[in-house]
Amino acid sequence: MFQETNRNPSAELFSGVSNILVGKPLKDYLDPKKWHNQFREQVFKNIDEKVFKKLYSDGHGAPGSSAATLVSMMVIKELQGISDKQLFEQCRYNLLVRAAIGLVNLTDNVPVESTYYLFRKRIYDYWVETGTDLLSVVFSDVTQSQAFTFKINGEQVRMDSKNIGSNIAHLSRYELVHTTLRMFFKSLDKKQLRNIPKRYKESVQEISTEKVQQILDMENREQISKRLEYLGGVIHKLIQVFRHLTDKPYELLKRVFEDQYIIEQETQIVKLRPNAQIKSSSVQSPHDPDSAYRNKRGKAVKGYNVNVTETASENSLNLITDVQVEAANVNDDEFMVSAIQATEKITQQTVTKAYVDGGFQNPENELKLPNCDIVLTGLKGKKSRYMLNQKDGILIVTDTKSEKVYFAQRASRNKNSSGQKWYIETEQGRRYFDENAIRSCEQRKVFESRTEEELNKRNNVEATIFHLACELRHNKVRYRGKIKTKFWALCRCMGINLVRITKFVQDFLLKISILLLFIDRDRLKIASAG
């Protein structure tokens, strides 16, 4: 049953913490500058619980704990980088943590573990069923309230991405195929098992019981390849036999087969797909089919690409306004448009400048964001030897090596043409240029005209990325799957925003107190002079 939170809990006479503490502990407990009070004001009280009402059935079951308390617990867990066991210990026995999540009396009950896990599961299942991420909705609502309270300037933003590993073990090709096949067998009931052709039943029994590591230790590469091809034939037959199934184990088995094998058209024999033909989006682990492979600057990751966007105003409080998580092989430039749109929705201001690195370079983003000046701190690829200038529909091409100038000719178009192209006649033959090449050349001209101050303004977002991932071990999250990784990133970023707000409030109040001291001193001087 859905239960709303008492947003302004009062301390009871005998069990209220503020009525028991004395001296400095009481002063610190009530200090509005402390993190626990800022958390209660800026996170706990800003969580719109009505978002989660659709997860509960009225009139069924015992009253549950408040959604605001449960979400706050999720944020504190990721903010402090602690385990579930440590989280519940903190919520039960740490007075500051209890105050942060709205428990101001010693008799206030902490949600039990089953309630906490059921709540997370309901959010997860709702996302799977409807495609709606309720935790992202909460993040936007909380951040929007914070942006309004502290008058955040959202006209300029900066963003960066980081590849983060999923909580999966490294699997060899044989381990991947074998484990997926064994998981499929376990998902079949007795009636379905009887549908397996007789000549494969012995193989099913063998595959279900054999120890993969022993096979890898005892057999050479050629023997392993033969085993893989045999497993491919088994899987191909099973996919045909159980083609009426639509559950996850079957779809995963089919996907792994398509990733790892090819079928010769003439002989219809199943063969191993060459390593060079296996896509980065292929299944990396049957325990996390959402993850993907990426090798960025020599660092290989099997997991996700996390993109973070924050405001970039001068001498002011800046907040993270957007968090996105996709498979690791998704390019950075694909995040930009949605990130800026999300920021504009939160701050209710138009983003006029975005500071990003070369990974976000995409001429199409400039077309989709006409009001935003995209400041690139680097560019993809090498500088072209040809400079392109387009005026009044005429494309002028300058060869920077020979300094020769060409007037490009329009190339003829057909029904398959994606856009207009131009060409020039060189000694090596025709050289073609499309609209993207023209826009990329314009981007390079703009990049070379940027000031050092503009190029350096993106750097601070790297500190944000560091704070996001500093609690990770070996650059891996504790979770598997895109949804759970997104939950981690959202909670972590809400925590980072809270830390920034707390520091901002403390610094602001300190400046006010110093200013008051100077005012009092000047008053004393005037009084003594009089």
Side-chain angles (χ1 to χ4, degrees):
M1 181 183 295
F2 178 74
Q3 175 179 314
E4 290 196 32
T5 304
N6 178 8
R7 298 291 181 173
N8 297 292
S10 57
E12 297 176 356
L13 180 61
F14 297 106
S15 63
V17 176
S18 59
N19 294 327
I20 297 173
L21 297 176
V22 294
K24 190 175 186 304
L26 176 62
K27 182 180 178 182
D28 289 340
Y29 185 80
L30 297 176
D31 189 346
K33 301 191 302 295
K34 298 296 184 180
W35 79 268
H36 56 283
N37 290 321
Q38 284 299 314
F39 188 101
R40 188 173 64 251
E41 294 298 322
Q42 302 303 331
V43 178
F44 175 76
K45 289 186 178 181
N46 286 331
I47 296 172
D48 183 7
E49 295 179 304
K50 294 177 183 177
V51 170
F52 301 102
K53 194 169 185 178
K54 58 195 76 174
L55 302 180
Y56 296 85
S57 299
D58 292 334
H60 294 85
S65 299
S66 75
T69 300
L70 293 165
V71 173
S72 296
M73 290 173 66
M74 292 170 64
V75 175
I76 287 177
K77 169 179 162 55
E78 305 306 343
L79 172 62
Q80 298 185 355
I82 56 180
S83 65
D84 290 345
K85 181 180 178 181
Q86 292 170 320
L87 171 66
F88 283 98
E89 285 180 352
Q90 291 290 311
C91 291
R92 285 169 181 149
Y93 308 115
N94 188 322
L95 297 180
L96 301 185
V97 172
R98 288 177 63 87
I101 62 176
L103 307 178
V104 298
N105 299 300
L106 295 177
T107 53
D108 292 337
N109 291 321
V110 175
V112 296
E113 287 85 343
S114 59
T115 300
Y116 176 78
Y117 294 132
L118 180 60
F119 179 72
R120 287 180 63 100
K121 184 178 184 301
R122 281 176 169 164
I123 301 174
Y124 179 95
D125 291 343
Y126 188 79
W127 189 347
V128 172
E129 293 169 6
T130 67
T132 302
D133 177 9
L134 297 180
L135 207 57
S136 285
V137 176
V138 169
F139 174 85
S140 298
D141 290 343
V142 169
T143 308
Q144 186 175 51
S145 178
Q146 293 168 347
F148 177 78
T149 300
F150 295 98
K151 295 179 173 55
I152 299 299
N153 184 350
E155 294 181 356
Q156 298 185 25
V157 300
R158 50 190 170 225
M159 66 182 74
D160 199 7
S161 297
K162 180 175 178 62
N163 289 334
I164 290 175
S166 173
N167 187 23
I168 53 177
H170 172 75
L171 297 180
S172 66
R173 197 170 183 177
Y174 183 79
E175 287 175 307
L176 172 63
V177 174
H178 186 281
T179 304
T180 306
L181 185 55
R182 189 167 57 186
M183 289 172 62
F184 174 72
F185 289 149
K186 288 183 178 180
S187 71
L188 300 177
D189 57 29
K190 292 182 179 180
K191 183 179 179 180
Q192 291 170 329
L193 287 170
R194 286 196 291 268
N195 292 331
I196 297 176
K198 289 183 179 180
R199 63 183 178 133
Y200 290 117
K201 286 189 176 181
E202 188 176 333
S203 298
V204 170
Q205 182 63 29
E206 181 183 346
I207 292 168
S208 300
T209 56
E210 67 184 5
K211 295 182 179 180
V212 179
Q213 193 57 50
Q214 287 183 358
I215 294 171
L216 294 175
D217 292 340
M218 295 173 61
E219 298 189 357
N220 58 36
R221 183 175 296 179
E222 185 178 348
Q223 291 172 318
I224 295 296
S225 294
K226 288 181 178 179
R227 277 183 172 270
L228 272 169
E229 289 191 351
Y230 173 73
L231 290 181
V234 174
I235 295 172
H236 184 230
K237 186 63 179 179
L238 292 174
I239 288 173
Q240 293 174 326
V241 171
F242 296 99
R243 58 182 175 272
H244 61 282
L245 295 180
T246 57
D247 57 3
K248 287 184 178 180
Y250 173 80
E251 293 297 332
L252 180 60
L253 184 69
K254 185 179 177 182
R255 182 180 164 193
V256 168
F257 178 79
E258 293 169 351
D259 288 342
Q260 302 294 332
Y261 297 94
I262 55 176
I263 303 174
E264 292 185 349
Q265 291 184 354
E266 295 181 0
T267 62
Q268 290 297 299
I269 295 176
V270 176
K271 293 287 187 181
L272 274 173
R273 186 182 293 275
N275 287 331
Q277 294 181 15
I278 298 177
K279 298 179 181 179
S280 61
S281 58
S282 65
V283 176
Q284 303 300 309
S285 169
H287 304 294
D288 186 0
D290 296 335
S291 62
Y293 174 84
R294 187 174 187 179
N295 191 320
K296 187 176 182 180
R297 302 188 189 97
K299 294 182 179 179
V301 170
K302 293 181 178 181
Y304 299 93
N305 193 6
V306 181
N307 187 77
V308 174
T309 305
E310 66 180 12
T311 57
S313 59
E314 294 287 349
N315 301 321
S316 180
L317 173 65
N318 288 303
L319 297 178
I320 297 172
T321 53
D322 182 66
V323 184
Q324 297 181 61
V325 176
E326 296 294 343
N329 63 333
V330 172
N331 293 326
D332 295 350
D333 59 82
E334 296 182 40
F335 295 114
M336 177 170 286
V337 174
S338 56
I340 289 179
Q341 290 173 347
T343 298
E344 291 178 338
K345 183 179 178 181
I346 285 174
T347 63
Q348 299 295 301
Q349 300 169 47
T350 300
V351 175
T352 57
K353 263 193 177 182
Y355 300 90
V356 295
D357 62 24
F360 292 85
Q361 180 188 358
N362 187 338
E364 291 186 4
N365 284 336
E366 292 190 345
L367 297 177
K368 295 176 183 177
L369 301 167
N371 299 320
C372 181
D373 178 17
I374 300 174
V375 181
L376 295 166
T377 60
L379 296 176
K380 295 178 182 177
K382 295 181 180 179
K383 184 177 180 179
S384 173
R385 66 180 285 179
Y386 296 101
M387 292 292 294
L388 310 178
N389 289 287
Q390 191 175 36
K391 262 190 176 183
D392 301 326
I394 300 173
L395 181 63
I396 302 172
V397 181
T398 305
D399 186 338
T400 57
K401 288 188 177 181
S402 65
E403 296 185 354
K404 190 174 181 180
V405 178
Y406 301 86
F407 289 90
Q409 303 294 317
R410 285 180 179 269
S412 58
R413 300 179 64 176
N414 55 44
K415 61 180 180 180
N416 296 322
S417 299
S418 57
Q420 182 62 56
K421 288 186 178 181
W422 294 261
Y423 69 91
I424 59 174
E425 297 284 357
T426 68
E427 294 178 358
Q428 292 77 29
R430 285 188 176 183
R431 175 63 188 262
Y432 286 87
F433 306 95
D434 58 13
E435 293 171 343
N436 277 338
I438 297 172
R439 285 194 288 266
S440 294
C441 189
E442 290 299 321
Q443 279 187 329
R444 183 167 290 279
K445 291 176 187 176
V446 173
F447 166 72
E448 292 174 350
S449 67
R450 298 290 187 187
T451 64
E452 187 175 349
E453 182 182 359
E454 282 182 303
L455 296 177
N456 290 336
K457 197 162 185 179
R458 189 202 69 88
N459 295 345
N460 284 355
V461 75
E462 293 183 358
T464 302
I465 292 293
F466 170 79
H467 291 145
L468 172 70
C470 66
E471 294 288 346
L472 301 181
R473 294 184 62 186
H474 308 297
N475 196 42
K476 281 188 174 184
V477 292
R478 302 183 184 198
Y479 311 102
R480 295 171 180 171
K482 173 183 171 181
I483 295 177
K484 293 181 180 178
T485 303
K486 180 74 176 290
F487 286 174
W488 164 80
L490 287 167
C491 291
R492 183 76 184 162
C493 287
M494 275 196 276
I496 292 172
N497 279 346
L498 185 277
V499 171
R500 293 180 178 183
I501 289 171
T502 302
K503 186 177 185 306
F504 177 80
V505 170
Q506 290 173 349
D507 291 346
F508 178 76
L509 293 177
L510 178 61
K511 291 176 182 177
I512 292 296
S513 62
I514 293 173
L515 180 61
L516 291 175
L517 286 175
F518 279 112
I519 291 174
D520 290 340
R521 184 196 64 182
D522 292 340
R523 284 176 178 172
L524 288 173
K525 285 183 178 179
I526 293 171
S528 60

